[in-house]
Amino acid sequence: MEEGNNMRVCVTGGSGYLGSWLIKKLLEKGYTVHATLRNLDEERKTSHLKSLPNAESRLELFQADIYNPEDFEAAIQGCLFVFHVATPVLHTENSKYKDTSEAAIAGVRAIADSCLRSQTVKRLIYTASVTSVSALKEDGTGFRTSMDESCWTSLNLSYTYSNQFTLDYIKSKTLSEKEILRYNEIETGNKLEVVSLACGLVGGETILSYLPSSLPCVLSLLTGDRLNFDMLRFLQELLGSIPLVHIDDVCEAHIFCMEKPVLRGRFLCAAEAPTIEEMAICYQQNHPEFTISQEFMSGPDGRSKCDVSKLRKEGFVYKYGMKETLDHSVKCARRLGSL
Ligand SMILES: NC(=O)c1ccc[n+]([C@@H]2O[C@H](COP(=O)([O-])OP(=O)(O)OC[C@H]3O[C@@H](n4cnc5c(N)ncnc54)[C@H](OP(=O)(O)O)[C@@H]3O)[C@@H](O)[C@H]2O)c1
């Protein structure tokens, strides 16, 4: 019998990198999926979803924008599980929100409240980012020895390799993750379980027709793309290493968190946490056809141990390590003509 057995689930941000791969896997497993997108008329955002196996009978698309958070209600109705994957990356000016953080927080509140009102949703799973789990001490003087789910990124620090975009992103991801987890503490009559998966940098294949947003960063050592390499340096400055996860594992982890009979709380999701230097060595060993220039061989100091054991202790098994994640990213970029 199929695992999903026609169970209804909602995925916000369904047309993006993570969202589309997650939908592909959910449809393969027999789930019925309500996916939200900002614009149903945009062919580039819908065609890869509509052509997925089982999409015709088990995929329903809904239009919803975080800047109009009440839009999500219709997609959530009748679902047992909701994956909140979407995140506002660029701010919509002239909206009722000051910045992406305000919009993201209003979004998680509206989605969690809709889940409560629905009377059908058992669990809300939020796609968080490892950028909210920095082990840098509050005063910026160094790292805690271990980075784990008890760490929260301090939003008061300044960084050598940050820019306004990265600062806005970590603020929005950190504050919205805190807000969504608060629903585990407020009295909901035990009606809603909230899980956040703080995902590492995602690499690997895609069903998109273009290179997904995180791959230029994963591949920046090979391409010499300075802007994206600075993002990698920023991650190492913030986290002490680059927590890395394969697209297939990250989506399996989302489904694992859904299929557990009972689950709440925060989980780091990364198979490995190499430094930039270790990524460079791995690329050199497996892709000697590329020459990595010296300045792309290493990053800022300050490694702290990245403890990703909590999800493993729940029973989750990663299939792909750093080598496969980097290999599949190279293959994907070549297939799409970007490398
Ligand atoms: N990729 C990574 O390395 C990584 C690592 C950790 C966490 N994450 C998290 O994973 C999630 C998905 O990221 P991704 O890598 O798949 O990026 P992506 O391909 O850019 O997808 C982002 C999604 O968010 C949606 N979105 C953006 N602004 C929105 C708005 N105002 N209202 C509604 N939806 C909006 C987009 O919808 P449209 O298609 O309609 O534009 C898109 O589907 C994000 O929450 C991100 O923080 C990603």
Side-chain angles (χ1 to χ4, degrees):
M1 195 174 71
E2 285 179 333
E3 276 169 83
N5 201 18
N6 260 332
M7 223 178 260
R8 218 165 266 274
V9 305
C10 173
V11 178
T12 73
S15 69
Y17 182 30
L18 268 66
S20 57
W21 197 271
L22 179 59
I23 290 170
K24 176 175 102 67
K25 294 198 78 94
L26 287 164
L27 291 174
E28 279 166 6
K29 288 175 193 265
Y31 290 92
T32 295
V33 182
H34 290 187
T36 76
L37 287 77
R38 265 183 300 177
N39 185 357
L40 292 183
D41 298 327
E42 216 179 318
E43 161 86 9
R44 192 175 91 120
K45 297 280 180 114
T46 55
S47 56
H48 61 300
L49 296 178
K50 286 181 179 165
S51 58
L52 284 170
N54 303 324
E56 213 172 307
S57 54
R58 287 202 260 107
L59 176 65
E60 209 177 321
L61 303 182
F62 294 76
Q63 190 153 308
D65 191 318
I66 287 171
Y67 281 77
N68 295 309
E70 58 287 352
D71 288 354
F72 290 93
E73 181 101 13
I76 289 170
Q77 285 301 313
C79 292
L80 192 53
F81 298 99
V82 173
F83 297 96
H84 183 23
V85 182
T87 211
V89 181
L90 296 173
H91 182 49
T92 305
E93 300 292 344
N94 302 323
S95 65
K96 55 191 162 192
Y97 307 111
K98 176 174 96 235
D99 55 18
T100 50
S101 296
E102 269 195 19
I105 292 168
V108 299
R109 278 189 195 137
I111 286 167
D113 290 342
S114 282
C115 290
L116 284 170
R117 269 195 303 277
S118 73
Q119 310 223 352
T120 56
V121 178
K122 174 179 162 56
R123 192 171 304 146
L124 169 59
I125 297 152
Y126 176 63
T127 312
S129 160
V130 80
T131 56
S132 67
V133 197
S134 172
L136 253 186
K137 292 182 187 151
E138 287 277 317
D139 58 4
T141 55
F143 289 90
R144 286 167 54 172
T145 46
S146 180
M147 171 192 163
D148 61 22
E149 288 79 358
S150 66
C151 298
W152 282 102
T153 299
S154 164
L155 300 176
N156 308 318
L157 297 177
S158 59
Y159 306 94
T160 312
Y161 296 105
S162 64
N163 55 38
Q164 202 49 51
F165 174 80
T166 48
L167 291 177
D168 287 349
Y169 180 75
I170 58 169
K171 183 176 166 203
S172 148
K173 292 306 288 183
T174 304
L175 296 181
S176 49
E177 189 190 2
K178 282 186 174 172
E179 183 60 24
I180 210 161
L181 285 172
R182 213 174 52 79
Y183 280 79
N184 279 331
E185 275 136 44
I186 59 177
E187 193 39 70
T188 64
N190 251 343
K191 278 200 209 114
L192 183 67
E193 295 166 10
V194 178
V195 172
S196 78
L197 266 177
C199 306
L201 181 66
V202 183
E205 264 297 347
T206 186
I207 58 167
L208 302 177
S209 56
Y210 52 91
L211 201 64
S213 47
S214 49
L215 286 205
C217 191
V218 175
L219 296 164
S220 60
L221 293 79
L222 306 182
T223 58
D225 171 347
R226 197 169 299 277
L227 195 69
N228 277 294
F229 188 65
D230 272 352
M231 290 233 204
L232 214 54
R233 290 206 270 208
F234 169 62
L235 279 180
Q236 185 154 312
E237 186 182 9
L238 183 72
L239 306 169
S241 61
I242 313 289
L244 201 61
V245 62
H246 192 282
I247 182 72
D248 203 65
D249 277 337
V250 95
C251 294
E252 279 294 343
H254 279 68
I255 294 170
F256 174 86
C257 287
M258 171 183 74
E259 290 179 339
K260 278 274 203 191
V262 182
L263 195 70
R264 281 176 197 273
R266 192 181 197 208
F267 296 87
L268 267 165
C269 181
E272 282 190 57
T275 58
I276 291 175
E277 197 174 350
E278 287 164 342
M279 285 173 70
I281 292 168
C282 184
Y283 272 134
Q284 281 184 323
Q285 284 170 349
N286 298 293
H287 294 281
E289 68 276 24
F290 293 99
T291 307
I292 303 176
S293 47
Q294 199 53 42
E295 60 175 315
F296 290 82
M297 285 289 298
S298 60
D301 291 339
R303 180 163 195 164
S304 65
K305 193 178 151 291
C306 180
D307 179 0
V308 288
S309 59
K310 189 176 171 193
L311 192 60
R312 284 198 169 102
K313 279 183 194 145
E314 287 291 337
F316 183 70
V317 180
Y318 293 92
K319 288 204 192 86
Y320 305 95
M322 166 171 59
K323 179 185 176 301
E324 294 87 358
T325 303
L326 299 185
D327 279 354
H328 296 179
S329 302
V330 168
K331 197 169 153 223
C332 175
R334 279 191 171 134
R335 185 177 57 75
L336 292 168
S338 302
L339 199 64

